[in-house]
Amino acid sequence: MGKALIIGCGGVASVAIHKCCQNSEAFEEICIASRTLSKCDKLKAALENKTKTKISTAQVDANDVEALVALIDAQKPDVVLNLALPYQDISIMEACLRTKTHYVDTANYEPEDTAKFEYKWQWAYREAFEKAGICALLGSGFDPGVTGVFSAYALKHHFDEIEYIDILDCNGGDHGYPFATNFNPEINIREVSANGSYWENGHWVETKPMEIKREYDFQGVGKKDMYLLHHEELESLALNIPGIKRIRFFMTFGQSYLNHLKCLEDVGMTSIEPIEFEGQKIVPLQFLKAVLPDPASLGPRTVGKTNIGCIFRGKKDGKDKTYYLYNICDHQECYREVGSQAISYTTGVPAMIGAMLVMQGVWNKAGVHNIEEFDPDPFMDALNRWGLPWQEDFDPVLVD
Ligand code: NDP
């Protein structure tokens, strides 16, 4: 039994909050705090008569460390679950440190004025968190998140050594719009318009955006084109999976999405450099976000499935072995259950699970840790219980 303070009330947070409310045995109490109080109050009103979890709400600017400290002092949560944007990671970690409160997030820190996400800023807190006796669990979404748990599970139960990991993220969903993003458009477009990269033989190999393309036949979805991207879990898995030779990350994109993205890039709409417009400074990408469909509105109209997982290759008892662990999730089933599409669902469920394991002390390691550093078994059990059952294949088709 415990209390979580959840910061942010967007697409992912809404799913995590629904899941906490289904899991009242663990989450006796939650406080939903975000920039726009009305969103928190609306969700509270929709949920409070259907759950034993006690819900309160608060307004907070998560860039303001003092305000966060005051909120944590007032609420006294056992864990803070950060589901705001990556820009707020450091201020929320700083507030957790000052109040000696455990911290969980789903995305690594990215400065607002540079499209460059990496772990160095959060890893810099390792010693301070360790000294304070509190745990920061980084990246408890799907990717990063479940992909790290899958890697730890594969290493624990199926391999003596993992040499190759290919993470395949397939969204076979169709929302019927020519162009929309499945999660926060600003974060999504920053991610996919950046150079790609992968880890090979101890160093990074950089690629142009969308330079490497493969086709893969996904269980439950069918054949899709996928493209190599840089993705944040590559950075921590390269360190935490001993002896790893190569890790790559592929994500599927439809042709319409890519055409629109190219055109928007070509006309400057994806830029994060502020420009002067009618006497006001605006950031083109933020303006674009304002005119695109809100990801939260895609739920009712998205049909199809996601299939996200990892293909491992390595050695067991001196022999070569391959192993594929993945989850298939249906957009409409998610919508019926929690009112959101599968992208928010596949992130919100692991966020709830990570917060639960840290809050209950099942995962209890002071310091700042990526998810693959913990025992994967309780998380794998919880995935099956809370809506993201996983499947295995011992003879998968490999990606060349
Ligand atoms: P949304 O834009 O839907 O929600 C973000 C929420 O954060 C909004 O409620 C927003 O408030 C709030 N917020 C933003 N700035 C502040 C601030 N300064 N103070 C307080 N609250 C603030 O995003 P998503 O739900 O799609 O994404 C949430 C997180 O999940 C992101 O970090 C994203 O990168 C991550 N993610 C991780 C994935 C994974 O698999 N690991 C996959 C998908 C997403 P307001 O309502 O006022 O705008």
Side-chain angles (χ1 to χ4, degrees), residues 140-257:
S140 189
F142 206 106
D143 43 345
V146 176
T147 51
V149 175
F150 280 177
S151 301
Y153 181 84
L155 190 58
K156 181 173 175 186
H157 296 284
H158 292 285
F159 290 91
D160 296 324
E161 196 179 0
I162 296 179
E163 294 165 322
Y164 300 95
I165 305 177
D166 279 329
I167 301 170
L168 310 191
D169 179 334
C170 166
N171 180 8
D174 181 6
H175 45 58
Y177 287 119
F179 185 80
T181 64
N182 297 300
F183 67 98
N184 186 288
E186 191 183 330
I187 305 296
N188 181 242
I189 291 173
R190 282 165 74 123
E191 179 177 280
V192 301
S193 50
N195 278 343
S197 74
Y198 58 97
W199 178 261
E200 188 167 51
N201 298 327
H203 65 271
W204 292 104
V205 181
E206 193 151 310
T207 67
K208 292 269 168 290
M210 310 292 168
E211 184 185 331
I212 298 184
K213 174 185 171 183
R214 298 282 187 273
E215 189 189 61
Y216 200 82
D217 195 357
F218 288 93
Q219 266 307 317
V221 176
K223 281 189 183 155
K224 290 273 168 197
D225 288 337
M226 58 183 194
Y227 298 82
L228 187 141
L229 296 185
H230 177 62
H231 220 244
E232 56 194 75
E233 65 265 54
L234 302 185
E235 191 187 356
S236 67
L237 288 171
L239 292 178
N240 292 327
I241 304 295
I244 190 82
K245 289 186 178 150
R246 189 185 66 199
I247 314 183
R248 302 181 297 184
F249 180 97
F250 292 91
M251 190 178 271
T252 62
F253 296 103
Q255 205 47 52
S256 173
Y257 179 94

Side-chain angles (χ1 to χ4, degrees), residues 9-12 35-36 39 60-62 84 86 88 106 142-144 184 347:
C9 193
V12 173
R35 184 168 54 188
T36 312
K39 289 192 190 170
V60 75
D61 175 1
Q88 279 89 45
T106 66
F142 206 106
D143 43 345
N184 186 288
T347 311

Side-chain angles (χ1 to χ4, degrees), residues 60-340:
V60 75
D61 175 1
N63 292 317
D64 180 345
V65 177
E66 300 305 327
L68 287 166
V69 168
L71 177 66
I72 297 171
D73 278 341
Q75 291 290 334
K76 300 195 173 27
D78 300 296
V79 64
V80 171
L81 175 56
N82 167 16
L83 299 175
L85 296 177
Y87 317 133
Q88 279 89 45
D89 287 3
I90 297 298
S91 51
I92 299 176
M93 283 180 78
E94 183 63 39
C96 283
L97 184 60
R98 289 206 210 160
T99 55
K100 291 196 170 29
T101 312
H102 299 309
Y103 168 91
V104 177
D105 69 24
T106 66
N108 67 6
Y109 176 68
E110 179 169 351
E112 207 156 350
D113 55 0
T114 333
K116 175 104 183 103
F117 50 87
E118 53 184 318
Y119 279 117
K120 69 174 181 202
W121 294 284
Q122 291 181 276
W123 286 345
Y125 277 86
R126 277 173 176 156
E127 212 184 309
F129 269 61
E130 211 176 313
K131 273 197 190 136
I134 52 171
C135 171
L137 166 60
L138 305 187
S140 189
F142 206 106
D143 43 345
V146 176
T147 51
V149 175
F150 280 177
S151 301
Y153 181 84
L155 190 58
K156 181 173 175 186
H157 296 284
H158 292 285
F159 290 91
D160 296 324
E161 196 179 0
I162 296 179
E163 294 165 322
Y164 300 95
I165 305 177
D166 279 329
I167 301 170
L168 310 191
D169 179 334
C170 166
N171 180 8
D174 181 6
H175 45 58
Y177 287 119
F179 185 80
T181 64
N182 297 300
F183 67 98
N184 186 288
E186 191 183 330
I187 305 296
N188 181 242
I189 291 173
R190 282 165 74 123
E191 179 177 280
V192 301
S193 50
N195 278 343
S197 74
Y198 58 97
W199 178 261
E200 188 167 51
N201 298 327
H203 65 271
W204 292 104
V205 181
E206 193 151 310
T207 67
K208 292 269 168 290
M210 310 292 168
E211 184 185 331
I212 298 184
K213 174 185 171 183
R214 298 282 187 273
E215 189 189 61
Y216 200 82
D217 195 357
F218 288 93
Q219 266 307 317
V221 176
K223 281 189 183 155
K224 290 273 168 197
D225 288 337
M226 58 183 194
Y227 298 82
L228 187 141
L229 296 185
H230 177 62
H231 220 244
E232 56 194 75
E233 65 265 54
L234 302 185
E235 191 187 356
S236 67
L237 288 171
L239 292 178
N240 292 327
I241 304 295
I244 190 82
K245 289 186 178 150
R246 189 185 66 199
I247 314 183
R248 302 181 297 184
F249 180 97
F250 292 91
M251 190 178 271
T252 62
F253 296 103
Q255 205 47 52
S256 173
Y257 179 94
L258 293 177
N259 292 345
H260 280 79
L261 187 64
K262 176 86 178 63
C263 178
L264 291 166
E265 262 169 7
D266 286 348
V267 298
M269 280 308 296
T270 59
S271 166
I272 61 169
E273 286 300 317
I275 56 150
E276 196 80 20
F277 179 73
E278 294 189 346
Q280 222 183 321
K281 277 221 176 313
I282 63 164
V283 174
L285 181 56
Q286 285 172 3
F287 178 75
L288 176 62
K289 174 181 185 269
V291 298
L292 285 175
D294 178 356
S297 71
L298 301 178
R301 43 186 301 147
T302 306
V303 293
K305 293 183 168 67
T306 61
N307 176 331
I308 320 176
C310 308
I311 301 176
F312 303 98
R313 276 195 287 156
K315 297 261 188 301
K316 180 72 180 173
D317 300 327
K319 288 198 196 114
D320 289 340
K321 182 170 180 178
T322 58
Y323 178 55
Y324 191 6
L325 256 177
Y326 59 94
N327 162 265
I328 297 176
C329 193
D330 184 283
H331 284 287
Q332 282 296 301
E333 275 174 27
C334 298
Y335 185 69
R336 278 192 291 276
E337 186 196 320
V338 297
S340 302

